Amino acid sequence: MDVNAAVAAAAAIAGVLTGVIAMLAFRWSERDQKRPTRTSLHTDPVLPPGVDTVLSVLRSSAVVLDEADAVVKASSAAYALGLVRGGKLAVEPMMQMARDTRRDGEIRQVELDLPRRGTGRGEALAVSARVAPLGSRLVLLLVEDLTEARRIEAVRRDFVANVSHELKTPVGALSLLSEAVMDASDDPEAVERFAGRMQIEATRLTNLVQELIDLSRVQNDDPLEDAEPVRADELVAEAIDRCRHQAGTKQITMAAGGTADLSIWGNRGQLAAALGNLVENAVNYSPARTRVGIAARRVTAPGGDLIEIAVTDQGIGISEKDRERVFERFYRVDPARSRQTGGTGLGLAIVKHVAASHGGEVTVWSSEGQGSTFTLRLPEAAAARDRGIDHDMPGLDDEDENGQPDGTTTVASPYEPLPAPEVLP
């Protein structure tokens, strides 16, 4: 009996120990399951309440890092900028900032230039990065894209520098010429010569100021607020009349055609200024006894029909490297020639802004020594097409005192105003 009792007691003790061990193992397993893991740290629930909502409305790119430098949360903008790749922060300077902030709890901010993803031209992406602690374990990184702001600031600086230079030139010339007139007060011929130069410089200064005003207006105003159907033939006639004197002086013939029954939807003043600038450039940069052609036609486009007006000259042409920059403010293909013609370098910039603000575009085709073709494409005023309008071209058939054409304007068939080059490439 004693042996059996001992065996029973041992079995009971073993059973109790087994139960205790099983219970401890179960409790340990529960604690292990509740303990945060590396994977669980990457999920949203570890973020403090409300942080996820705040990050979703921020304009900046946002990245939240845990104590292992793994990405817990990242906005779509952060991925778009290439800040996060494969669940890791891909920018080492930002990673070091995050580690330093996690260590001492201080907020840090720095501006960096990062390589732009997907481009092989070495373009830099300018960003401002700010790192701050988020709770006891997390770090918040906010990144602001400064690329566009820097570009605009650079354009503003260049614009101010160019305007200052362009204004100083005629103002300085007027100052010197006025001193020369005073010194030559006893010489009528010298006074007359200097006065003529003063008039030229004053005209140049006036044109520059006016074009600066025009450029500012087309950039700030919404031309479609006062939009109306504008007849293409009237725009062409106005542009030709604007350049009639210059063309007559150089014996340049201006030919127009294809403009009847075409109307453009837009601001009449801005459209007239844009086309006038193109025709004026064509005349100024053409040799004597050549031709300038203006042709128009309707073209079909997915968003609606467009009116295409092409201005072609037989001038000096534009090189390939200059064609990419001719629409920049103050850029001149031939600065010396621009000084002779009184050009300011703003005419084509105004044309570009007018075309863009009207929902159109301006393009250029050119070959050195053969001439250039500038083409305006603008939305058609569909309602005007169905109205009965007078198709005569005012101002294109003026005659001299002998009843003969004055030699500055003729009417040509659409898109065939010049034998060479073609109006459209």
Side-chain angles (χ1 to χ4, degrees):
M1 293 293 295
D2 294 336
V3 174
N4 292 333
V7 171
I13 293 172
V16 171
L17 290 175
T18 302
V20 171
I21 292 173
M23 183 177 294
L24 290 174
F26 178 75
R27 292 301 180 96
W28 184 270
S29 176
E30 280 190 333
R31 286 183 58 189
D32 205 41
Q33 290 179 4
K34 292 180 179 179
R35 182 180 300 166
T37 62
R38 180 182 297 268
T39 303
S40 67
L41 287 174
H42 298 173
T43 59
D44 292 345
V46 302
L47 293 176
V51 172
D52 196 7
T53 303
V54 173
L55 295 181
S56 65
V57 298
L58 287 177
R59 297 181 60 183
S60 304
S61 302
V63 180
V64 178
L65 303 175
D66 64 10
E67 67 270 19
D69 291 335
V71 175
V72 176
K73 181 76 176 179
S75 64
S76 58
Y79 286 98
L81 289 178
L83 303 179
V84 178
R85 300 177 192 173
K88 291 288 185 179
L89 186 61
V91 183
E92 183 58 33
M94 295 182 187
M95 180 72 77
Q96 187 59 48
M97 288 174 59
R99 291 168 181 165
D100 295 340
T101 296
R102 187 184 300 110
R103 185 181 62 255
D104 55 26
E106 293 185 4
I107 298 175
R108 288 174 168 81
Q109 184 169 353
V110 67
E111 292 189 3
L112 301 171
D113 291 332
L114 307 178
R116 190 186 295 270
R117 295 183 63 187
T119 62
R121 294 174 293 178
E123 296 180 356
L125 187 70
V127 298
S128 174
R130 185 179 179 86
V131 180
L134 187 63
S136 59
R137 296 183 295 108
L138 304 180
V139 173
L140 173 62
L141 170 67
L142 296 177
V143 180
E144 190 77 23
D145 187 357
L146 304 178
T147 307
E148 185 65 15
R150 284 193 180 180
R151 188 192 67 80
I152 293 175
E153 178 63 19
V155 170
R156 186 194 66 81
R157 287 197 306 268
D158 291 344
F159 182 73
V160 172
N162 286 329
V163 168
S164 302
H165 174 74
E166 295 296 332
L167 288 174
K168 283 166 61 177
T169 302
V171 170
L174 287 172
S175 178
L176 293 174
L177 288 169
S178 63
E179 293 179 4
V181 169
M182 294 178 62
D183 293 340
S185 57
D186 297 333
D187 187 349
E189 293 184 1
V191 169
E192 183 178 358
R193 183 171 68 256
F194 292 141
R197 288 297 306 171
M198 290 178 67
Q199 187 175 15
I200 293 174
E201 294 298 335
T203 301
R204 180 182 176 186
L205 181 60
T206 301
N207 292 339
L208 176 58
V209 172
Q210 183 58 51
E211 290 201 339
L212 285 172
I213 294 172
D214 293 341
L215 180 60
S216 176
R217 182 180 294 118
V218 300
Q219 287 180 314
N220 297 328
D221 293 350
D222 182 5
L224 299 185
E225 288 184 357
D226 302 321
E228 60 179 334
V230 182
R231 288 174 48 177
D233 55 3
E234 294 177 355
L235 292 176
V236 171
E238 186 173 338
I240 289 177
D241 188 63
R242 169 177 168 177
C243 304
R244 188 182 304 277
H245 176 70
Q246 298 98 305
T249 302
K250 300 172 68 174
Q251 299 181 8
I252 292 176
T253 300
M254 290 187 286
T259 58
D261 199 19
L262 299 179
S263 294
I264 300 166
W265 183 254
N267 182 288
R268 180 184 182 86
Q270 292 192 14
L271 294 174
L275 184 58
N277 285 344
L278 291 181
V279 176
E280 186 175 15
N281 272 4
V283 171
N284 287 338
Y285 286 91
S286 292
R289 294 179 294 278
T290 56
R291 303 179 71 192
V292 171
I294 311 167
R297 68 177 180 181
R298 180 184 296 113
V299 295
T300 302
D305 289 351
L306 300 175
I307 300 302
E308 198 172 73
I309 304 178
V311 179
T312 300
D313 62 63
Q314 295 174 307
I316 59 177
I318 306 171
S319 66
E320 184 176 356
K321 66 179 182 67
D322 289 322
R323 284 199 296 272
E324 299 177 357
R325 303 189 59 189
V326 291
F327 295 103
E328 294 180 10
R329 301 167 185 167
F330 297 108
Y331 186 80
R332 299 183 180 94
V333 175
D334 187 350
R337 190 179 183 91
S338 294
R339 284 193 294 269
Q340 295 175 3
T341 60
T344 62
L346 291 174
L348 292 180
I350 293 174
V351 175
K352 179 182 178 180
H353 282 289
V354 170
S357 62
H358 282 75
E361 64 174 352
V362 58
T363 59
V364 59
W365 172 92
S366 185
S367 179
E368 291 187 88
Q370 297 185 31
S372 306
T373 296
F374 286 85
T375 304
L376 267 175
R377 296 183 182 91
L378 299 164
E380 180 184 21
R385 192 193 310 172
D386 301 326
R387 295 186 305 172
I389 59 176
D390 181 14
H391 302 323
D392 292 335
M393 290 284 287
L396 293 183
D397 53 356
D398 298 343
E399 297 178 343
D400 59 18
E401 63 275 10
N402 298 321
Q404 299 297 324
D406 61 8
T408 61
T409 60
T410 59
V411 177
S413 60
Y415 280 77
E416 296 179 356
L418 297 177
E422 296 179 359
V423 174
L424 285 180

